[in-house]
Amino acid sequence: MPSETLIVAVAQISPMPGDVRANARSAAALMAGAAEAGAKLLLFPELSLVGYDLELFADASAWVTEDDPRLDVIRQASAECGVAAVVGAAYRRPDNTAWIASLAIRPDGEIQVYGKQNLHGVERDLFQPGNKIQFLDVDGWQVALAICYDAAVPAHAEQAACQGAEIYAVSALYTQEQARRIDVHAAARAMDNRMYSVVANLAGRGPGWESCGGSGTWHPDGTRLSQAGTDSGVFTTALSRSELQALRDKDTLAGYPRPALSAQTWT
């Protein structure tokens, strides 16, 4: 049975540019602290294993592949801590398709891969869009993965909701100029689709950008539940299934018109 309460953690970090091995070790080290806080899910930002600098991908070592041994340290930490970790990578599929990806590493050792569907700007010169939304089951909660610009496209979250998402987990880079956007996007996706939004934003700065921070979680009514500053850190929040279900039930009784919010979809 799904748990009534799920504690989720977001890691607002500044990766070591281009060093997948070092960033994987750092991610693994953060998992123990998340586990001590009771978290079952630890969400990292976009491209957290390498940093957001598209020029890095001229180097083959900046890419992650299926069964990449550099991920073993995260697999081990996930198994030992009982925490599912979602890390960001430039991912080369077996068929050579290039994705900006979220890699969901589960305690049982399985890795689920989601490819960013809504590429932004020059990303389209280097990567192909993903082909479907990926779901991760965490203690019976259905977590839909999203990456940055996906959250700016309302249809992406609506599709996730129609498929049963209860948590919309966004790995992102929002810059100083986008401080308002991170709150609006996450709040709207949560409120419109009656699911929790969780966003892990990069910290620090990179070529042409400086992060606005602000990682956190949003309630299905659109209220912000937690907010990081601009510094690096891991931040946890407890999510309530009963509060989520109460809102969905209320919408159903009110005759809310979107199919994504019907009782048949959600149960």
Side-chain angles (χ1 to χ4, degrees):
M1 292 291 293
S3 62
E4 160 56 26
T5 300
L6 181 70
I7 298 177
V8 299
V10 294
Q12 185 168 281
I13 61 167
S14 182
M16 183 91 57
D19 195 334
V20 172
R21 192 178 303 278
N23 292 319
R25 287 197 299 264
S26 296
L30 293 175
M31 293 175 71
E36 288 178 3
K40 295 295 185 180
L41 173 66
L42 177 55
L43 180 68
F44 286 85
E46 182 176 23
L47 295 173
S48 64
L49 290 178
V50 68
Y52 194 94
D53 178 356
L54 300 186
E55 292 186 3
L56 293 170
F57 304 123
D59 185 341
S61 70
W63 294 81
V64 169
T65 58
E66 187 175 39
D67 299 323
D68 196 309
R70 294 172 295 180
L71 301 178
D72 287 349
V73 66
I74 304 178
R75 288 191 185 94
Q76 182 178 350
S78 178
E80 291 176 352
C81 298
V83 176
V86 179
V87 296
Y91 181 75
R92 187 77 68 180
R93 298 180 68 197
D95 64 3
N96 210 40
T97 301
W99 279 355
I100 293 180
S102 285
L103 310 180
I105 302 174
R106 304 186 342 188
D108 63 5
E110 183 178 344
I111 297 182
Q112 297 173 234
V113 183
Y114 167 71
K116 185 176 183 177
Q117 292 185 289
N118 297 283
L119 298 171
H120 183 266
V122 294
E123 293 171 358
R124 291 171 290 182
D125 297 333
L126 294 172
F127 301 96
Q128 289 82 52
N131 52 15
K132 65 177 182 179
I133 295 175
Q134 181 66 254
F135 282 80
L136 176 65
D137 185 305
V138 181
D139 269 12
W141 291 66
Q142 296 304 303
V143 181
L145 303 181
I147 301 174
C148 204
Y149 204 59
D150 287 334
V153 180
H156 186 271
E158 184 174 6
Q159 182 184 359
C162 285
Q163 294 177 18
E166 296 163 313
I167 299 172
Y168 191 58
V170 186
S171 300
L173 167 58
Y174 283 90
T175 66
Q176 285 284 346
E177 298 79 13
Q178 298 170 328
R180 177 62 174 153
R181 286 169 65 89
I182 186 173
D183 189 57
V184 169
H185 286 166
R189 302 299 88 83
M191 181 172 61
D192 288 351
N193 298 290
R194 293 307 196 209
M195 57 187 177
Y196 289 96
S197 288
V198 182
V199 180
N201 194 19
L202 283 164
R205 63 184 65 196
W209 61 266
E210 181 176 355
S211 171
C212 66
S215 299
T217 55
W218 287 256
H219 193 274
D221 66 6
T223 303
R224 208 190 230 278
L225 296 174
S226 65
Q227 180 168 4
T230 56
D231 293 337
S232 296
V234 175
F235 309 91
T236 59
T237 308
L239 311 183
S240 166
R241 174 174 294 280
S242 60
E243 291 181 17
L244 171 64
Q245 192 60 52
L247 282 171
R248 292 176 174 178
D249 291 345
K250 183 178 180 180
D251 284 340
T252 300
L253 289 172
Y256 205 61
R258 284 193 292 275
L261 298 179
S262 70
Q264 290 80 8
T265 297
W266 292 117
T267 58

